[in-house]
Amino acid sequence: MFKAYFVDGKNTADHQTLRALAVSIGLDSTEVQQVLASDAYANDVRQDIYESQQIGVSGVPFFVLNNKYAVSGAQQPETFLGALQKAWSELPQNEKVEGAVCTPDGKCD
């Protein structure tokens, strides 16, 4: 989404664009269209907005890690790394999941 909007200049509010982006990452076109034509996630969005207001989000970007640590605005990589390491170190061992890693160019392995 970020690449499509900020780099490629695509209109990410356009349903056709969203559907094409979703299909490009392996989502089913029909299911995507059904979600876009519905309000299936409206309550989830309202809940996200409410929670953001409760923790004092007043601008973007704003990142919340582990529902505990916040990083607001454009920060140095070291700031993000420190917050990520702190949040990771506090996760119970059984909640740590190893998995695919995605690079800035969108490739995941």
Side-chain angles (χ1 to χ4, degrees), residues 14-72:
D14 176 68
H15 286 192
Q16 186 174 1
T17 299
L18 288 172
R19 190 171 53 252
L21 290 169
V23 169
S24 77
I25 63 165
L27 297 178
D28 179 76
S29 179
T30 302
E31 288 180 37
V32 170
Q33 186 58 38
Q34 288 171 349
V35 168
L36 290 172
S38 75
D39 64 351
Y41 294 97
N43 286 334
D44 294 321
V45 171
R46 283 190 282 278
Q47 183 66 30
D48 283 349
I49 291 168
Y50 172 78
E51 289 175 10
S52 297
Q53 291 169 338
Q54 297 304 302
I55 62 172
V57 174
S58 60
V60 292
F62 194 95
F63 304 90
V64 178
L65 307 170
N66 221 14
N67 290 322
K68 185 175 182 180
Y69 298 103
V71 180
S72 64

